[in-house]
Amino acid sequence: MTLTTSNNGRHAEVAGAGFAGLTAATALARRGWTVCVHEKGEDLREQGAGIVLWHNSIKVLEAIGAYTEAMSDSMTPPYYETRVHGSPVSHEHFDGLPWRTMTRPHLHRSLLSAALEAGVEIRSGSEVVSADPAGSITLASGETRTADLVVGADGVRSKVRDSIGFEQERWKSGDGIIRFLVPRHKDELGPGEWDNVIDFWNLEPRYLRVLYVPCNERELYIALGAPRSDEQGSRTPVDLDLWTSAFPELTPVLKSAAVAEDARYYGYQTTVLQRWTRGRVALVGDSAHAMCPALAQGAGTAMANAYTLAEAATGALHAGFEHALEEWERRERPITDRCQQRSADYAATRGMAEGNQFGPENLEAAVYDPTSLLRHADASRMER
Ligand SMILES: Cc1cc2nc3c(=O)[nH]c(=O)nc-3n(C[C@H](O)[C@H](O)[C@H](O)COP(=O)(O)OP(=O)(O)OC[C@H]3O[C@@H](n4cnc5c(N)ncnc54)[C@H](O)[C@@H]3O)c2cc1C
Ligand SMILES: Cc1ncc(C(=O)O)c(CO)c1O
């Protein structure tokens, strides 16, 4: 079934069919835009493991028609637990704030269905090589396509961004992780609260960490953290003896991780741009603000910003279009900047190991509702 929306005469070209690109495309199409998404990969799918979403992106899923599918086959764990050297340090519940865990392929499929239902055209095997702020993109095939709005959602190595020459600072953190989706192994894990998210930290004699995130009854996301400089800890395939000696209680799931194909170590990285927009081009997601995952908000802020971009671009008058994009950045960016900075600080200090870190400041991005028409009025009331 395709939604019937009346065409508003505007056209968008989107680079990248990741979480940010699909969200922007769907939100635009539901507002009457014709939208073409270019994905350089031959397949429309998301690799990688699991993801934690919070209220901000859950609201976006609702607003773009992806909620029902995303909520099926996903879960809200009872608690977000933190343990250091095997001892519990916190059990967080977030006072009823909605949050959800799921696999990345599941989130991607849910967004893809919503995009197709909204009438978005998606071209796979179509790489964007450059963009022009006047409103066009050029593909690897040599074709140039014009648009009222160009969305650069082409990830951390964005060609839309780099072809235009957005000023940016990028840095790598000392830590990183190897991610896996493995079977739950609930029976073999023995008694315990295995439906919780459990962040297992070992800080002595060396930093090794396992973030345990159940995604549904069958699938478990685990992220194995170690410093880049630790050759043994960052090695793939993982060194099973090292990991089971550090986390013996997780032996059944670590055994599955050790035989996974395509395991890869991801070093944390941060990208901060001076501006997210230039002319008719707007960047969303990792192309604009790649962040360390400590607060689990990379995709959440990407989806929130993609949604509000669609809203701002739709409301913009033709003559004031570029100014409207600048205004969008001015309004929406501070929350993402603060979240990104906090995430980088936590990655540097490993401070999440203290537990009980999801207080009001760290949940700022999660609590935000990018779909609320009252949100700016709320924010200005709070500032006063
Ligand atoms: C280890 C780790 C754990 C994380 N955990 C969480 C979490 O729990 N919660 C959370 O919210 N976030 C998390 N994140 C962040 C999240 O994964 C990213 O922020 C999010 O995936 C960014 O989405 P995106 O669409 O901007 O980019 P991407 O997912 O990178 O998508 C970009 C897409 O564009 C395509 N592409 C690239 N170049 C081109 C081109 N030139 N032309 C056409 N297509 C192109 C790519 O193939 C890809 O499909 C985590 C990140 C990491 C590294
Ligand atoms: C949900 C989540 N939180 C925190 C981290 C993190 O590394 O700090 C990661 C990746 O390991 C996550 O996937």
Side-chain angles (χ1 to χ4, degrees):
M1 189 187 69
T2 303
L3 280 177
T4 42
T5 328
S6 59
N7 187 315
N8 69 10
R10 289 185 177 176
H11 179 70
E13 292 283 326
V14 179
F19 301 141
L22 290 175
T23 301
T26 308
L28 286 163
R30 289 173 68 102
R31 286 173 168 71
W33 293 64
T34 57
V35 185
C36 182
V37 180
H38 301 271
E39 167 54 49
K40 84 171 173 193
E42 293 297 334
D43 301 319
L44 294 175
R45 68 193 165 90
E46 166 74 23
Q47 288 169 342
I51 194 148
V52 178
L53 296 186
W54 303 85
H55 171 257
N56 55 342
S57 43
I58 293 172
K59 280 287 171 190
V60 172
L61 292 172
E62 268 173 37
I64 65 172
Y67 179 83
T68 306
E69 187 172 341
M71 291 304 112
S72 72
D73 213 21
S74 62
M75 62 188 271
T76 303
Y79 289 99
Y80 196 113
E81 209 183 315
T82 303
R83 296 187 196 175
V84 179
H85 302 133
S87 301
V89 294
S90 65
H91 262 77
E92 292 176 85
H93 181 258
F94 317 125
D95 291 331
L97 181 74
W99 65 296
R100 202 86 183 157
T101 61
M102 64 193 72
T103 72
R104 283 172 184 260
H106 179 66
L107 176 61
H108 191 266
R109 274 192 301 273
S110 307
L111 291 172
L112 191 58
S113 317
L116 295 173
E117 190 182 319
V120 172
E121 181 192 351
I122 304 179
R123 299 190 179 182
S124 56
S126 180
E127 185 184 4
V128 177
V129 292
S130 65
D132 183 331
S136 71
I137 55 165
T138 300
L139 305 176
S141 65
E143 185 189 356
T144 292
R145 300 169 60 89
T146 57
D148 299 286
L149 172 68
V150 171
V151 181
D154 47 349
V156 69
R157 284 191 282 275
S158 171
K159 291 202 171 161
V160 170
R161 176 191 69 208
D162 294 343
S163 66
I164 292 176
F166 280 86
E167 271 188 63
Q168 57 186 288
E169 246 186 89
R170 301 171 70 169
W171 71 89
K172 292 186 169 177
S173 306
D175 292 343
I177 49 120
I178 313 166
R179 319 183 261 190
F180 300 93
L181 268 189
V182 295
R184 290 286 304 267
H185 291 294
K186 246 179 156 175
D187 295 341
E188 296 132 87
L189 285 168
E193 294 175 77
W194 296 112
D195 281 347
N196 288 346
V197 167
I198 313 176
D199 202 351
F200 294 85
W201 295 79
N202 279 3
L203 299 167
E204 302 293 341
R206 70 208 267 193
Y207 167 68
L208 287 176
R209 170 184 172 201
V210 177
L211 178 68
Y212 167 104
V213 182
C215 294
N216 54 46
E217 276 301 309
R218 309 174 314 284
E219 294 163 294
L220 170 71
Y221 162 41
I222 51 171
L224 276 51
R228 278 178 212 267
S229 58
D230 180 342
E231 190 283 319
Q232 190 189 18
S234 61
R235 185 188 297 167
T236 56
V238 298
D239 183 326
L240 186 59
D241 288 342
L242 171 72
W243 288 96
T244 52
S245 61
F247 302 99
E249 63 277 58
L250 293 175
T251 298
V253 300
L254 292 168
K255 278 186 177 164
S256 288
V259 297
E261 287 172 18
D262 309 332
R264 213 192 107 192
Y265 179 84
Y266 295 83
Y268 298 152
Q269 50 181 309
T270 302
T271 311
V272 180
L273 269 60
Q274 200 170 59
R275 300 292 316 276
W276 290 353
T277 71
R278 176 97 54 96
R280 291 182 171 274
V281 175
L283 304 174
V284 287
D286 280 5
S287 64
H289 52 72
M291 63 178 77
C292 297
L295 296 176
Q297 272 295 348
T301 52
M303 290 165 64
N305 293 329
Y307 182 84
T308 56
L309 170 65
E311 179 191 63
T314 306
L317 298 173
H318 190 72
F321 194 80
E322 301 182 6
H323 178 66
L325 297 188
E326 288 167 13
E327 274 298 296
W328 158 75
E329 175 179 349
R330 195 190 57 74
R331 275 199 318 266
E332 302 294 335
R333 179 166 174 163
I335 288 186
T336 300
D337 282 347
R338 288 192 287 270
C339 183
Q340 184 185 39
Q341 184 62 53
R342 289 179 188 131
S343 300
D345 292 346
Y346 276 114
T349 60
R350 301 176 184 151
M352 294 299 286
E354 287 169 27
N356 285 320
Q357 294 302 299
F358 287 101
E361 275 201 346
N362 285 335
L363 286 174
E364 182 194 21
V367 169
Y368 186 55
D369 179 357
T371 68
S372 161
L373 294 172
L374 295 172
R375 64 192 190 278
H376 303 303
D378 288 350
S380 63
R381 214 173 27 246
M382 275 156 57
E383 275 160 20
R384 259 184 269 134

